[in-house]
Amino acid sequence: MRIVLHIVKKELIQFIHDKKMFVMSFIPPVIQLIVLGYAASLDVRDIPLVVCDRDNSASSRYLVENFVASGYFRIVAAVGRESEVDRWLDNGQASIALIIPRGYERKLANGQQTQVQCIADGSETTSASTAFSYAMLIVQNVAQNTIVESLVKYGAIKAPPRIISVPRIWYNPELKSRNFMVPGVLGLLLVIMTMILTSMAIVREKEMGTLEQLIVTPVKPIHLIVGKLLPFLTIGMIDVFLVVVFTTLVFDLPVKGGVLLLFVLCGIFLLTTLGLGLFISTISRTQQQAMMTAIFFFILPMIFFSGFVFPIENMPRIIQFVSYFLPLRYFFVIVRGLFLKGVGLTILWPQVLALLIFGISIFTLSVLRFRKRLR
Amino acid sequence: MIGHFEHPIVVRSLTKKFGLFVAVDSVSFVVEKGEIFGFLGPNGAGKSTTIRMLCGILEPTDGNAWVGGFDVRREPDEVKKCIGYMSQRFSLYEDLTVEQNLIFFGGIYGLESERLEVRKHWALDIAGLRGQEKVLTGELPSGWKQRLALGCTILHEPPILFLDEPTSGVDPISRRIFWDLIYELSNQGTTVFVTTHYMDEAEHCTRLGLMYGGKLIALGTPTELKQKLSGYTVYEVESTQPLEAMEVLQAEEWVAETSMFGTAFHVSVQNVPRAGLKIRKILEKNGFEIRKVEKTIPSLEDVFIHTVLHQEQNSFHTES
């Protein structure tokens, strides 16, 4: 046990001495949180809209008003001719154009069909499709109101029959993508920090030849592994602490499911990332190799296939299958459950179990590989 | 099977293969207590591989070895307790200070509090690093790094010390100081196993093993090894264009061997009367200007070349 302490102490001295590494471990987590919390928003609001109202009637203005009142659109320009719309879309000052043809009101009054045109900038697929669905909704609403009004007016019906859906969105009522992203960032951060730091710290000893020096001492491989990993477990936990403080104070996103449980489950998750770090160190000879292996074979798949940005349900079968082998997949469910839903182990146990199984397997595999290399 | 316990190092037909390549080929020897036992040979001869097997870093493919009475295959943990190992890279933590390195390695060897303090000061003294405790190890000159590495290696007072090319890349004065330390340890009863490719260092050893191509081709004290050349006379020759001169001499059937030796070269001959005169005549006939032709004491290098050439001739004969 004392030997382990000596290794931990040495590791900490080296870590603190390496100022770059030290700063790297605590500043990026906070920066990433801010950046991803504010910038990586998938929400579409204030979509710049260019209006070409060629009818300029009460009805056409009513339609435009509905666009503005929805809160999703912001009129950047009102132009007289259709050809002018192009310029606004071309230079990107507007993302969507609404063109109301001449005779819009008259046709409506005569009970004829009329068309309004929406042109969206498809080069930004996500915003375009969101803007489009909002626009469709608004136009349909207006159309429905118009029909109902005329039916009442002509005495066909007394009162308009309506079906109104009452949407209630649970766990993240405002559908803020930040609330969805921030807990995810925690998972991503832990993977990046602990897996890369661990693998590099071990491979560096290989490069320096100090690992060989340690092998000829009576230190047991397990002492060495525990001594090397404990400091990184601590760093990971400090990062968790930083993230929790930050999300609670800055993003007003407290851990509904309990902070203690979050720490315990983060600990289990760290078992998998430290295990992976150890594994990477057994297959790499240089620090660069370790870094590249970590990024290309572990971190990138985890970002794309674990449901951090893209929903797993939409992925091809084979990728969905792959995602079962990514611990981050389970951890995302856990952190989102803890932060947003406030659920506990009764709900999250399958994910926790998956992490435990993954963690214990990768750890055993890595320790065996590590020991084999030592002898 | 005798001698595992009386002798600090016993090696029996030790073999290491990397795929098809035989790095160490059935090597056997015994090292006595307090000896400075040297392994001499060029790079790739199998010296380091042998040492690494004895320290328990590599597993032997075949054969057996006992270090401190423990089987290196079955009791590597026991072996590790009674040895110190220093590699040619002086593997210290460059980003730790001198003192932090000493405390770390001391702690790893299980030294605590008072004893650690005593040994730390002792190591600082022998390395001549007193007053430099807070200096980063990476900033030390290589000679000092080497002595600190030795200090870290023997903090726990191991009875057996393995040094793998301990003086590579170190200046001559530091090498001198280093060897004085080795003598001192050996006088105090430590068994030292050292590999080197410096011939002059080999002369410091009590006994020597010559390694070539994974095989132990000769074993004995430096004097014994030199006697292998008894019957041979070695001449030191200085002339213009020494390489061409050696070629001319080598073509003579009565010349056994020629080899470069600094700016001069050595010529060994076996039972040739008045060989010095013959050498002069031939060189003069071929237009070389001679500065010196003198009988000389055979050096270990002569022994080494002689032994290697014989080895190769023998293996050539057995193959054909």
Side-chain angles (χ1 to χ4, degrees), chain A residues 213, chain B residues 8-9 31 34-38 51 54-55 67-68 79 82-87 109 122 126 149-164 166 178 181-186 189-195:
Chain A
Q213 197 65 51
Chain B
I9 305 173
V31 179
E35 252 190 329
I36 301 177
F37 185 85
I51 248 187
L54 295 181
C55 291
V67 172
V79 169
C82 60
I83 62 167
Y85 165 76
M86 179 179 151
S87 76
Y109 278 109
W122 173 83
I126 66 142
L150 179 67
C152 287
T153 307
I154 53 181
L155 274 172
H156 59 298
E157 300 174 88
I160 303 162
L161 183 57
F162 289 96
L163 306 170
D164 191 5
F178 187 81
L181 282 172
I182 301 297
Y183 279 130
E184 208 178 299
L185 288 169
S186 149
T190 306
T191 307
V192 182
F193 187 124
V194 59
T195 70

Side-chain angles (χ1 to χ4, degrees), chain B residues 19-290:
Chain B
L20 286 176
F21 174 67
V22 185
V24 176
D25 192 356
S26 192
V27 166
S28 303
F29 59 89
V30 172
V31 179
E32 307 290 338
K33 187 171 185 301
E35 252 190 329
I36 301 177
F37 185 85
F39 244 22
L40 180 66
N43 290 331
K47 301 179 308 248
S48 293
T49 310
T50 306
I51 248 187
R52 288 156 64 89
M53 282 191 281
L54 295 181
C55 291
I57 302 171
L58 278 176
E59 201 164 352
T61 313
D62 212 347
N64 292 299
W66 292 265
V67 172
F70 300 105
D71 189 328
V72 295
R73 282 166 178 274
R74 276 176 299 174
E75 304 156 292
D77 290 339
E78 295 304 319
V79 169
K80 285 170 185 180
K81 278 179 197 159
C82 60
I83 62 167
Y85 165 76
M86 179 179 151
S87 76
Q88 49 199 338
R89 296 166 68 188
F90 320 146
S91 310
L92 299 161
Y93 292 96
E94 305 234 319
D95 48 354
L96 295 188
T97 64
V98 169
E99 190 174 29
Q100 283 165 347
N101 262 305
L102 285 168
I103 293 175
F104 173 69
F105 281 106
I108 286 289
Y109 278 109
L111 304 183
E112 293 298 339
S113 52
E114 256 175 68
R115 193 158 123 78
L116 179 59
E117 195 65 16
V118 171
R119 294 300 292 167
K120 188 184 87 189
H121 283 291
W122 173 83
L124 283 170
D125 281 338
I126 66 142
L129 283 166
R130 200 171 266 287
Q132 314 274 328
E133 291 92 336
K134 307 282 180 233
V135 176
L136 276 187
T137 307
E139 290 166 6
L140 292 176
S142 62
W144 292 24
K145 248 186 240 174
Q146 172 211 37
R147 291 200 295 272
L148 178 61
L150 179 67
C152 287
T153 307
I154 53 181
L155 274 172
H156 59 298
E157 300 174 88
I160 303 162
L161 183 57
F162 289 96
L163 306 170
D164 191 5
E165 301 203 357
T167 53
S168 57
V170 171
D171 65 277
I173 295 170
S174 294
R175 270 168 68 183
R176 186 71 243 171
I177 301 173
F178 187 81
W179 272 98
D180 287 344
L181 282 172
I182 301 297
Y183 279 130
E184 208 178 299
L185 288 169
S186 149
N187 280 339
Q188 289 161 8
T190 306
T191 307
V192 182
F193 187 124
V194 59
T195 70
T196 182
H197 55 247
Y198 291 118
M199 299 291 169
D200 60 327
E201 277 187 6
E203 305 261 6
H204 296 309
C205 298
T206 330
R207 271 194 319 141
L208 269 179
L210 299 191
M211 283 291 280
Y212 188 76
K215 288 196 172 77
L216 186 64
I217 55 174
L219 184 68
T221 64
T223 326
E224 278 169 5
L225 288 176
K226 285 174 191 167
Q227 277 166 3
K228 281 196 153 224
L229 283 178
S230 65
Y232 286 85
T233 320
V234 178
Y235 289 89
E236 189 166 291
V237 183
E238 267 182 54
S239 77
T240 50
Q241 294 167 292
L243 286 175
E244 287 80 355
M246 276 165 66
E247 237 171 79
V248 167
L249 287 169
Q250 193 68 70
E252 298 292 319
E253 58 175 39
W254 49 271
V255 172
E257 277 138 32
T258 57
S259 61
M260 277 307 286
F261 215 85
T263 55
F265 59 90
H266 282 191
V267 182
S268 327
V269 295
Q270 196 172 15
N271 300 322
V272 181
R274 308 174 70 184
L277 209 64
K278 286 179 100 168
I279 291 171
R280 267 183 190 282
K281 272 189 179 165
I282 292 203
L283 289 182
E284 272 167 1
K285 203 176 79 186
N286 285 282
F288 296 98
E289 213 171 286
I290 298 159

Side-chain angles (χ1 to χ4, degrees), chain A residues 99-127:
Chain A
I99 301 165
I100 306 171
R102 203 182 289 262
Y104 170 78
E105 190 175 47
R106 183 170 42 80
K107 279 189 180 166
L108 281 182
N110 293 345
Q112 285 174 289
Q113 187 186 319
T114 182
Q115 288 176 326
V116 296
Q117 196 180 3
C118 282
I119 307 170
D121 175 2
S123 61
E124 304 244 6
T125 324
T126 317
S127 333

